[in-house]
Amino acid sequence: MNCSALLSLTLMLMQLWPCSPSMQNHSTHNSEQSSVAVRRVKRGWVWEPLFATEEQTSIAPVYVGQLKSDLDKQDGNLQYILTGEGAGSIFIIDENNGKIYVTQKLDREKKPFYTLRAQAINRSTQLPVEPESEFIIKVRDVNDHEPQFLDGPYTATVPEMSPEGISVTRVTATDGDDPSYGNSARLLYSLIQGQPYFSVEPKTGVIRMASQMDRETKDQYLVIIQAKDMVGQPGAFSASATVTINLSDINDNPPKFPQRLYYMSVSEESPMGTTVGKVFAEDNDIGENAAMNYFIEGDNSDVFDIITNNETQEGIILLKKRVDYEKKRRYSIRAKVVNRYIDDRFLKEGPFEDTTIVKINVEDADEPPVFTLEYYVMEISEGAVSGSLVGVVTARDPDTDDCPIRYSIVHGMHLKRLFSISEHNGTIITTEPLDREIASWHNITVTATETRNPEKISEANVYIEVLDVNDHAPEFPKYYETFVCENAVSGQLIQSISAVDRDDAAEGHHFYFSLAQEATNNSSFTVKDNQDNTAGIFTAKSGFRRQEQFSFYLPVLILDNGTPPLTSTNTLTITVCDCNTEVNTLYCRYGAFMYSMGLSTEALIAVLACILILLVFFLTIIAIRQQRKKSPFSEKMEEFRENIVRYDDEGGGEEDTEAFDISALRTRTVMRPHKARKKVSTEIHSLYRQSLQVGPDSAIFRQFISEKLEEANTDPSAPPYDSLQTYSFEGTGSLSGSLSSLGSNTSDTDQSYDYLTDWGPPFKQLAGMYASHRSMGD
């Protein structure tokens, strides 16, 4: 069966052979003959796969392999040529026999193979005998690289008490050698350090637990793993890595109180919420596995409470209710601690809780007095005489020595002292009669103080109600304005009235209205009680005349239902109004006012006219007086201001006669706008006095000239013709002395300038100017 298959494959190849272009090149027949007949041509090149071993350091070239053509007759007529990667440098060929040598050290990790081309030519004709053919020289690997742990050092975590065989982590080493050739890259893992707790799989590098470990005994292990290539054979390279394995905590330990009995104490005067003490249960676990809650068991949980401090895991015992040394001096409580998170796997080991006993002693303290009631409510009737008993407050000393108590009332600065208390027995009495209508309740504060220790004070509030007594008679709630028309008929309702009572009736107020006894027989009006605390006023006759009687005063008797009943007489004023049937209240009020003044309308108008005339006369007098107060010189002052001419600039000196026009300076119409400038009169006088001692080169002189020059240059309002310059310095050697007239009491017209002509040519023009000025003045 195999022979027949091989025969079929040979026939197929023979049919496909002419299709190959390279085989056509190997044919020794021409193209015409090949088209007529097809014949199999035998291949000319003969060689085996070529390999070169890396890392060879021989001085002589190392043989790699041989290229050979089947046309080579060993007569030296063929020449072998090698081209391609590394030809001539790394690889050389013997051109006579085709043997290839390597001349340099190779590194497979840098270049694993080289692609070259070979050709055989006839030395005589230099024609190719064999076509150029491509082949590959592979670099054969040797074990020249050590394994490497690229990800080290390693860190892993595994729960404590994990079962044997559970995977912890995996380490992996790499080798730069060829994994497809030999054993150079085949690694084997082993454990150098870590027995007997851990193991490692030789081929995979997986680290596993070899025994159960307790974190509370040791929580960290250092494991060293070694990796060897060549499957651990002699001469293999190796590398090691360190693996730090941490054991994570699990809740496998219950909390435990280090003490079975605790002693604490608390003062009886400690307020609620006071910290009595702390207890602490130890738990070898950490984190949330060590979290715990504290409880109080037993009957004392209503007096004490315990809370958990989540940061320190302490149990803080707090006072839940005030304790009293005189009632109970010692308490015993049972404190319980339980793990907050429990692992069910370890419940078989026992309950994760513990208990302890805490004994608490109550310390005696000097307590302040205690009132028998938290507050007191007392009553007293209004109007009770001064010194009437209101009530009694009582306090006691809770301590065993039973110290005497002194009572007092806390009086406010703004409150009237209406009560007093006996400092020995707490009896409260009034200091003056009370009026319920002013204040129906009084709130006072009573203090109780130990006589031997005044710092121990207690307070209690006393609420005193003032009981009502019928001591106020009923009265009208307001003033009634009652009017009746002159033509009113008998039995006409002219006013509805009511009453108020400041007393507090237990069953409600009820008032009775009637005419007073003195007005019953001869009254022109009647009172009708409506039986609803109101009454109506009716006319008892028809027609009224203002000329006969302008107003009536009707006494109304009002009776209340108090005990004892009280009555009051209230007078109702009824005014007769000039009207028909309907009363115009405004008109009637005006008439009543005029009647009460005893004036008629004409008389009132005359009085108002007189008042108006007096008012006009008074205003006229005030206006005349204001006019006289005005200044008589106001117009002259305005004229003076218009004639003032100001000159503040400085000139060029005595010889500067063309800088200004003297006639313009004397023009009264020239008025420079006012500009606030530095007042220099005082400064000029001072500097003039200094000029007698200093010369032109003085610093004071130069400063003064610079300031004046700066003022003149920076004055934007100075007209171009105003160039008068002011100087107050004269040279110390000048024969003329000072030319300034600021210190002179005489005017220009009083002075004689004839002496200027005697000063010589420098003052000639100045003398002419003042001479012309004097002639003009004359």
Side-chain angles (χ1 to χ4, degrees):
M1 185 69 181
N2 294 334
C3 294
S4 61
L6 182 59
L7 181 59
S8 300
L9 180 59
T10 304
L11 293 176
M12 186 183 298
L13 292 174
M14 292 177 62
Q15 292 177 358
L16 295 175
W17 193 275
C19 298
S20 176
S22 62
M23 293 301 102
Q24 291 179 7
N25 292 334
H26 295 342
S27 177
T28 58
H29 298 84
N30 55 31
S31 60
E32 293 179 356
Q33 291 176 345
S34 63
S35 63
V36 177
V38 178
R39 190 180 72 170
R40 177 179 178 272
V41 178
K42 185 179 180 181
R43 175 174 178 168
W45 285 112
V46 178
W47 64 69
E48 296 178 355
L50 302 178
F51 295 92
T53 304
E54 68 169 337
E55 302 297 337
Q56 290 184 346
T57 58
S58 176
I59 300 177
V62 179
Y63 176 75
V64 177
Q66 183 179 7
L67 301 178
K68 186 177 181 182
S69 175
D70 56 359
L71 300 178
D72 189 0
K73 299 179 180 180
Q74 302 295 326
D75 56 359
N77 192 30
L78 289 182
Q79 180 183 359
Y80 294 93
I81 301 175
L82 184 66
T83 61
E85 293 180 335
S89 58
I90 299 176
F91 300 99
I92 59 174
I93 190 171
D94 189 341
E95 62 181 13
N96 295 319
N97 53 24
K99 292 181 178 181
I100 300 175
Y101 300 90
V102 60
T103 61
Q104 298 181 14
K105 184 173 69 172
L106 304 180
D107 190 351
R108 188 202 64 83
E109 285 70 32
K110 293 183 178 179
K111 191 170 182 63
F113 63 89
Y114 293 85
T115 303
L116 296 98
R117 291 179 299 277
Q119 188 178 23
I121 61 174
N122 191 310
R123 292 181 182 272
S124 300
T125 62
Q126 295 296 315
L127 294 177
V129 175
E130 291 287 354
E132 187 178 52
S133 181
E134 185 178 277
F135 65 94
I136 295 175
I137 298 178
K138 293 184 178 181
V139 180
R140 182 170 291 169
D141 185 44
V142 296
N143 189 17
D144 59 344
H145 287 83
E146 297 178 354
Q148 292 182 345
F149 289 95
L150 300 180
D151 298 328
Y154 297 87
T155 302
T157 303
V158 63
E160 64 172 331
M161 306 303 293
S162 296
E164 297 180 10
I166 189 172
S167 175
V168 178
T169 186
R170 180 178 180 177
V171 295
T172 303
T174 60
D175 196 313
D177 294 325
D178 188 1
S180 62
Y181 176 76
N183 296 325
S184 299
R186 294 181 62 184
L187 304 178
L188 190 67
Y189 298 93
S190 60
L191 195 65
I192 296 178
Q193 178 179 317
Q195 300 92 348
Y197 308 108
F198 302 96
S199 64
V200 62
E201 294 184 356
K203 294 182 179 181
T204 61
V206 176
I207 301 175
R208 298 184 181 276
M209 297 287 291
S211 62
Q212 286 189 338
M213 289 172 287
D214 190 1
R215 186 201 63 83
E216 287 72 31
T217 302
K218 186 177 181 180
D219 61 352
Q220 189 178 83
Y221 293 84
L222 195 63
V223 178
I224 300 178
I225 302 297
Q226 184 184 64
K228 277 189 176 183
D229 58 11
M230 296 186 66
V231 202
Q233 296 177 1
F237 293 109
S238 65
S240 62
T242 301
V243 183
T244 302
I245 301 177
N246 298 309
L247 297 182
S248 60
D249 184 58
I250 61 174
N251 192 8
D252 59 341
N253 294 279
K256 293 291 183 181
F257 283 107
Q259 298 177 222
R260 294 292 103 187
L261 185 62
Y262 291 85
Y263 291 96
M264 300 179 184
S265 61
V266 61
S267 175
E268 64 174 337
E269 62 181 358
S270 299
M272 291 185 299
T274 300
T275 299
V276 179
K278 298 179 181 179
V279 295
F280 178 71
E282 297 177 349
D283 193 327
N284 292 329
D285 297 319
I286 59 175
E288 67 177 14
N289 295 320
M292 58 192 75
N293 292 326
Y294 293 87
F295 305 94
I296 290 181
E297 295 180 336
D299 299 334
N300 293 323
S301 59
D302 59 336
V303 181
F304 299 95
D305 192 12
I306 188 170
I307 62 174
T308 303
N309 187 330
N310 293 324
E311 294 182 359
T312 62
Q313 296 302 318
E314 292 177 319
I316 304 174
I317 300 176
L318 303 176
L319 187 61
K320 194 174 182 180
K321 187 173 68 174
R322 294 285 298 266
V323 293
D324 191 348
Y325 175 82
E326 286 72 28
K327 293 182 179 180
K328 190 173 182 179
R329 301 184 179 183
R330 185 175 293 104
Y331 292 87
S332 179
I333 63 175
R334 181 182 295 272
K336 180 181 179 180
V337 61
V338 180
N339 266 141
R340 193 175 301 170
Y341 308 102
I342 299 176
D343 194 336
D344 297 337
R345 296 177 298 172
F346 300 96
L347 284 177
K348 59 183 180 181
E349 304 293 336
F352 281 73
E353 61 185 39
D354 195 15
T355 58
T356 188
I357 302 299
V358 181
K359 293 187 178 295
I360 303 175
N361 295 323
V362 180
E363 296 178 347
D364 188 21
D366 188 4
E367 300 176 89
V370 178
F371 284 94
T372 56
L373 297 176
E374 185 177 355
Y375 61 91
Y376 296 84
V377 179
M378 301 178 181
E379 297 177 350
I380 186 172
S381 299
E382 68 172 328
V385 297
S386 176
S388 299
L389 176 65
V390 179
V392 178
V393 296
T394 304
R396 65 176 181 85
D397 185 6
D399 298 322
T400 55
D401 54 357
D402 194 13
C403 179
I405 305 299
R406 184 175 65 251
Y407 300 92
S408 63
I409 294 178
V410 179
H411 294 285
M413 298 299 295
H414 61 286
L415 297 178
K416 188 177 182 180
R417 299 187 178 184
L418 303 176
F419 305 94
S420 64
I421 188 172
S422 173
E423 65 176 9
H424 301 294
N425 55 23
T427 302
I428 300 175
I429 61 175
T430 60
T431 58
E432 60 181 65
L434 304 178
D435 189 352
R436 191 201 65 84
E437 286 69 35
I438 297 177
S440 60
W441 284 89
H442 295 274
N443 302 332
I444 63 176
T445 301
V446 177
T447 62
T449 308
E450 291 185 5
T451 56
R452 288 196 292 266
N453 188 359
E455 294 182 356
K456 298 300 178 179
I457 303 175
S458 295
E459 293 183 352
N461 292 326
V462 180
Y463 306 101
I464 302 174
E465 182 183 10
V466 181
L467 301 178
D468 185 44
V469 175
N470 192 22
D471 57 346
H472 291 85
E475 57 187 1
F476 284 152
K478 63 179 181 179
Y479 173 76
Y480 289 102
E481 284 186 320
T482 306
F483 301 96
V484 61
C485 293
E486 288 184 311
N487 58 354
V489 297
S490 178
Q492 180 178 344
L493 177 65
I494 61 173
Q495 183 68 54
S496 293
I497 61 175
S498 62
V500 294
D501 195 335
R502 290 187 291 172
D503 294 323
D504 187 11
E507 299 179 357
H509 289 291
H510 190 74
F511 304 113
Y512 304 93
F513 300 88
S514 63
L515 282 177
Q517 186 66 31
E518 62 270 17
T520 304
N521 298 326
N522 55 355
S523 176
S524 300
F525 304 93
T526 61
V527 177
K528 181 181 179 182
D529 194 339
N530 297 328
Q531 301 299 318
D532 59 355
N533 293 337
T534 63
I537 308 298
F538 294 87
T539 58
K541 67 176 183 176
S542 299
F544 295 89
R545 293 180 60 82
R546 297 179 61 190
Q547 290 76 9
E548 295 180 359
Q549 188 172 353
F550 181 77
S551 60
F552 296 87
Y553 299 98
L554 185 67
V556 179
L557 186 67
I558 306 177
L559 175 68
D560 63 12
N561 61 336
T563 303
L566 297 179
T567 60
S568 66
T569 301
N570 298 266
T571 302
L572 183 68
T573 303
I574 303 173
T575 303
V576 179
C577 184
D578 185 12
C579 57
N580 294 325
T581 57
E582 296 183 358
V583 177
N584 188 332
T585 304
L586 182 62
Y587 176 75
C588 291
R589 288 175 180 173
Y590 169 74
F593 173 75
M594 295 298 296
Y595 181 81
S596 62
M597 296 293 295
L599 298 175
S600 62
T601 303
E602 293 79 4
L604 181 61
I605 294 175
V607 171
L608 293 177
C610 293
I611 293 174
L612 181 61
I613 292 172
L614 291 175
L615 180 62
V616 172
F617 179 73
F618 179 71
L619 293 177
T620 303
I621 293 175
I622 292 176
I624 293 173
R625 290 183 176 180
Q626 292 293 335
Q627 186 68 23
R628 290 178 178 178
K629 290 181 179 181
K630 289 186 177 181
S631 174
F633 302 104
S634 59
E635 295 182 358
K636 293 183 179 180
M637 292 299 294
E638 294 295 332
E639 182 179 358
F640 293 159
R641 292 194 188 99
E642 293 179 357
N643 296 333
I644 293 176
V645 181
R646 298 176 180 270
Y647 301 100
D648 297 326
D649 294 335
E650 299 178 355
E654 297 176 347
E655 297 183 359
D656 185 6
T657 58
E658 298 179 357
F660 58 91
D661 187 359
I662 193 63
S663 61
L665 295 179
R666 300 183 181 277
T667 303
R668 296 180 59 187
T669 58
V670 178
M671 179 62 185
R672 290 178 59 183
H674 175 70
K675 177 184 176 184
R677 296 189 62 177
K678 184 176 179 182
K679 187 175 180 180
V680 298
S681 59
T682 305
E683 180 184 1
I684 291 175
H685 282 287
S686 174
L687 293 174
Y688 169 70
R689 290 191 296 269
Q690 296 180 18
S691 66
L692 300 178
Q693 289 84 20
V694 300
D697 295 333
S698 173
I700 299 177
F701 183 86
R702 289 195 299 270
Q703 179 183 358
F704 180 81
I705 294 298
S706 299
E707 290 178 358
K708 294 304 175 183
L709 181 60
E710 182 66 21
E711 290 182 9
N713 293 337
T714 57
D715 188 0
S717 61
Y721 51 78
D722 185 3
S723 60
L724 177 63
Q725 306 300 321
T726 304
Y727 292 89
S728 63
F729 281 98
E730 283 78 28
T732 55
S734 175
L735 299 177
S736 61
S738 175
L739 299 178
S740 174
S741 62
L742 295 176
S744 176
N745 294 327
T746 60
S747 63
D748 292 343
T749 57
D750 298 333
Q751 296 183 10
S752 174
Y753 301 98
D754 296 335
Y755 57 89
L756 294 177
T757 57
D758 302 330
W759 289 356
F763 299 92
K764 180 179 180 181
Q765 295 184 4
L766 183 62
M769 291 173 56
Y770 276 87
S772 61
H773 168 65
R774 186 171 184 180
S775 61
M776 290 176 61
D778 295 336

